[in-house]
Amino acid sequence: MTKHHFTTLHRNHLLFQRLKSDNFTWWQFIKENIKSGIFYVDIRKDNSLNVYYNGGSLLKITFSQGKISCKIHEYYLGKSGSKYVEYNLDNLSDEANTLKERIASRYSDTSESGIKARLICDPSAKYIDSEFAYPEIIGKKKDRYGKEVAAYLTTRIDLTKLENGKIIFVELKRIEDGRLLTNEYENGKPEILYQMKAYHQFVNVHKQEITDYYKTLFSIKRDLDILPQSLSGISNIDDYVLCEDVELYIEPYSFLNIERIRRVNAIKTILDGNNIIHNL
């Protein structure tokens, strides 16, 4: 994948211009729900935006053929199927509660998606993005017809925050996640160490591209007045730098017993011994 992957996002794209200039009732409704910590919005590299509720992607909003359009998963409309279908945004305020109930039935508060939403929507949070994804060509493969095509490896990181003049990636795990601590540690390393090392290498290779990308993304969110409350006083992030170390947020147990305390301490020992920044 070339640098073009990051430069497709444009602050002056027509979607963002229309959202700024036109007083769409549905957009005002979305913004009200963002400010009250119910929805959150992520800007995507293809100049679209996703509206999330409880970690589930409620709406994907795009601009094509001279108009704003929107798609929603059939399940959220109470239909069977797995496709994304056209949705009339003028119906959003009337149907929002029903749509939220259906999303909540798929993404519980204790799911990784639900935890992510809680972190992002916290009034003191400084998250600017979630579900970062970057596909890279790593070789060739044969498709089902025997034709040679590019093989991709996609790097995915859960959260991105702005803190102390830095752009910081954050990986999210639940404390029960088997990749944090396995029986194999006696003869090897748990998977989380390989994952964090791969993130570190990725960030170093693409450092300038990612930094420039988030400067653009921040400007768009500021233009649209959808920045997190704790970041609303920042005019730009021109002087921010990308942190080379990816942080690890681990959702803790709801209560502790001796066995769980032992597990937490073992995980902390591994992470501290490998200089991984974490919250335990």
Side-chain angles (χ1 to χ4, degrees):
M1 184 63 66
T2 65
K3 292 183 180 181
H4 179 68
H5 181 75
F6 280 110
T7 58
T8 55
L9 182 65
H10 297 291
R11 183 177 182 179
N12 294 319
H13 189 271
L14 284 173
L15 173 62
F16 309 134
Q17 294 299 311
R18 288 288 303 277
L19 292 178
K20 283 194 299 181
S21 63
D22 294 14
N23 191 30
F24 297 112
T25 301
W26 55 265
W27 179 238
Q28 298 307 315
F29 177 79
I30 290 173
K31 289 173 67 174
E32 289 169 5
N33 277 270
I34 293 172
K35 293 185 187 302
S36 57
I38 298 172
F39 293 163
Y40 63 95
V41 169
D42 282 333
I43 307 296
R44 296 306 179 206
K45 300 177 188 69
D46 60 355
N47 296 290
S48 66
L49 57 84
N50 281 55
V51 181
Y52 290 87
Y53 171 73
N54 214 48
S57 180
L58 171 60
L59 305 168
K60 184 175 180 65
I61 301 173
T62 60
F63 186 93
S64 62
Q65 299 180 339
K67 65 177 183 178
I68 293 175
S69 59
C70 175
K71 288 192 174 183
I72 188 171
H73 197 285
E74 287 179 303
Y75 178 82
Y76 303 147
L77 297 176
K79 301 177 181 178
S80 59
S82 58
K83 296 185 298 183
Y84 282 84
V85 296
E86 296 292 330
Y87 181 73
N88 185 349
L89 285 163
D90 290 331
N91 296 333
L92 181 59
S93 60
D94 291 334
E95 298 176 353
N97 287 337
T98 302
L99 296 174
K100 288 189 294 182
E101 287 175 4
R102 292 187 180 126
I103 290 179
S105 71
R106 177 167 284 190
Y107 300 99
S108 70
D109 292 343
T110 57
S111 68
E112 189 169 301
S113 295
I115 294 166
K116 188 184 305 178
R118 190 196 75 230
L119 294 174
I120 293 170
C121 294
D122 187 299
S124 63
K126 298 181 179 180
Y127 295 104
I128 192 69
D129 191 28
S130 70
E131 299 186 16
F132 174 90
Y134 183 88
E136 295 180 275
I137 296 175
I138 58 171
K140 299 286 186 179
K141 67 176 183 179
K142 295 289 183 68
D143 66 11
R144 61 179 178 171
Y145 304 108
K147 181 181 178 181
E148 191 174 77
V149 295
Y152 286 89
L153 173 68
T154 301
T155 298
R156 302 181 187 276
I157 308 179
D158 290 311
L159 296 160
T160 312
K161 68 179 179 179
L162 303 178
E163 194 171 71
N164 300 323
K166 294 181 179 180
I167 303 164
I168 304 170
F169 281 128
V170 181
E171 178 65 8
L172 168 65
K173 291 283 187 287
R174 294 191 298 175
I175 189 66
E176 301 91 348
D177 196 309
R179 291 168 291 183
L180 295 173
L181 183 67
T182 67
N183 293 332
E184 296 176 359
Y185 187 65
E186 295 178 0
N187 301 309
K189 298 178 179 180
E191 185 179 333
I192 188 62
L193 298 184
Y194 296 104
Q195 186 177 7
M196 299 303 280
K197 181 179 180 181
Y199 287 159
H200 180 82
Q201 293 171 339
F202 169 80
V203 168
N204 274 275
V205 170
H206 300 288
K207 190 170 185 178
Q208 190 58 54
E209 304 158 63
I210 296 171
T211 302
D212 293 340
Y213 169 74
Y214 275 113
K215 288 178 181 179
T216 300
L217 186 147
F218 178 90
S219 297
I220 293 170
K221 282 200 163 185
R222 181 162 186 79
D223 291 343
L224 297 179
D225 192 27
I226 55 172
L227 282 172
Q229 182 179 338
S230 61
L231 299 177
S232 60
I234 302 174
S235 58
N236 63 69
I237 58 170
D238 293 347
D239 296 329
Y240 278 57
V241 296
L242 181 65
C243 183
E244 295 181 2
D245 295 316
V246 175
E247 295 185 5
L248 180 61
Y249 174 85
I250 300 174
E251 179 71 3
Y253 289 116
S254 57
F255 69 93
L256 292 172
N257 55 32
I258 293 175
E259 182 179 342
R260 288 180 171 185
I261 292 172
R262 187 181 299 118
R263 176 180 170 84
V264 170
N265 288 337
I267 293 171
K268 287 171 65 175
T269 298
I270 293 170
L271 298 179
D272 291 343
N274 288 272
N275 300 312
I276 294 175
I277 302 169
H278 62 89
N279 63 302
L280 292 180

